[in-house]
Amino acid sequence: MSHVVQTDHRVLRKSTPTVEADSAASANDGSLTYFADTAAQFSPVERQRGLALGTYAHCTRKGIPIPNNLASFMEQLLDTFPNDMDLLNTLGQLALQRGDLEMAKRYQQRALVIEPDNETALDGLMAVAYSTSNWAECLDCATRLLDIDPSSTRVHAIRGDALANLGKIEEGIAEIERATELNPGATELYQWLADRYRQTGQADKLASAQLMIERLKNAKIPPQAPPAS
């Protein structure tokens, strides 16, 4: 189940470092820049903020390694933009990616003080709670996320697993059953259900889940029809 889970215009008092361009480079010109004369619309530190966030987005989309100094660069930008949700969320994601769960949690909690219903921060905090088996916090984050978007299979699945780990097996089962309604092709969810049905002695539901697992494992993608001439 673990794999199913404002702007402040003050001027910095210290010089703003430059993001390393080598690993953030595009395949064509080697760096990111602003279109035409749009850079002139922003202060120097705002331009640095935009390039930092753009670098993260570009690297993430292209599968390029994140520059080593991007996190420390963004941390300095927080001196100017202390309530910037984009910076806080990105720093939280960077901390998660390098396995620094404590730092990720710190950024996510800081973001949620500013914007309690921010989905990115809630999702990141849920990931930290799940990874550290903090089931109560995981359940709280998942519940809040489903209040925002009740159609997320992944969040239903994580909420169900958290409930089960808190000893609320039947509630957890109901949550995972809801997840399978949203995504009927998720084999791992049926396997989770089969284990819990076996644990709770629900023979009929166990047989049904096992049948679905076999069907999914043996399912074949139908061949594509040739294009019309």
Side-chain angles (χ1 to χ4, degrees):
M1 185 71 70
S2 60
H3 70 279
V4 174
V5 159
Q6 306 282 337
T7 302
D8 183 334
H9 293 280
R10 289 180 296 119
V11 177
L12 283 175
R13 284 176 284 182
K14 51 189 173 184
S15 62
T16 304
T18 302
V19 179
E20 293 174 358
D22 53 356
S23 57
S26 70
N28 296 324
D29 60 11
S31 63
L32 298 177
T33 187
Y34 283 89
F35 285 111
D37 61 349
T38 54
Q41 301 174 26
F42 305 100
S43 69
V45 70
E46 287 173 328
R47 289 197 293 272
Q48 292 290 347
R49 172 192 176 276
L51 286 173
L53 292 170
T55 295
Y56 176 77
H58 175 73
C59 292
T60 300
R61 283 197 300 267
K62 297 291 187 180
I64 300 170
I66 303 291
N68 292 329
N69 69 333
L70 185 59
S72 60
F73 176 73
M74 286 187 170
E75 287 166 1
Q76 291 189 43
L77 289 171
L78 280 178
D79 291 343
T80 301
F81 309 110
N83 296 330
D84 192 303
M85 293 298 296
D86 290 326
L87 287 175
L88 289 169
N89 281 330
T90 303
L91 282 165
Q93 292 300 311
L94 287 169
L96 276 175
Q97 290 169 20
R98 64 176 183 267
D100 190 344
L101 300 183
E102 187 58 40
M103 184 61 73
K105 183 174 182 177
R106 196 175 306 166
Y107 284 124
Q108 289 148 0
Q109 288 177 328
R110 181 171 167 181
L112 289 171
V113 169
I114 300 166
E115 190 178 317
D117 292 329
N118 185 271
E119 290 184 77
T120 302
L122 280 171
D123 193 88
L125 191 59
M126 181 178 68
V128 171
Y130 192 93
S131 297
T132 56
S133 301
N134 185 342
W135 303 119
E137 186 167 64
C138 183
L139 177 61
D140 176 66
C141 291
T143 301
R144 291 165 66 184
L145 282 167
L146 290 173
D147 285 340
I148 299 168
D149 177 13
S151 66
S152 172
T153 300
R154 184 176 63 88
V155 178
H156 276 289
I158 291 174
R159 187 175 189 275
D161 203 33
L163 283 164
N165 278 286
L166 288 168
K168 301 177 180 180
I169 304 295
E170 293 300 332
E171 291 181 54
I173 288 174
E175 199 70 39
I176 303 296
E177 288 173 340
R178 174 58 180 150
T180 62
E181 292 173 5
L182 293 167
N183 184 3
T187 306
E188 65 273 17
L189 297 181
Y190 289 104
Q191 186 60 62
W192 188 100
L193 285 170
D195 293 339
R196 297 313 182 280
Y197 292 150
R198 186 179 295 108
Q199 178 184 350
T200 55
Q202 300 183 59
D204 290 344
K205 286 190 172 184
L206 171 60
S208 178
Q210 290 174 328
L211 178 60
M212 183 60 73
I213 291 168
E214 286 304 311
R215 286 177 175 173
L216 289 170
K217 286 181 177 178
N218 296 320
K220 291 182 173 55
I221 299 174
Q224 290 186 337
S229 58

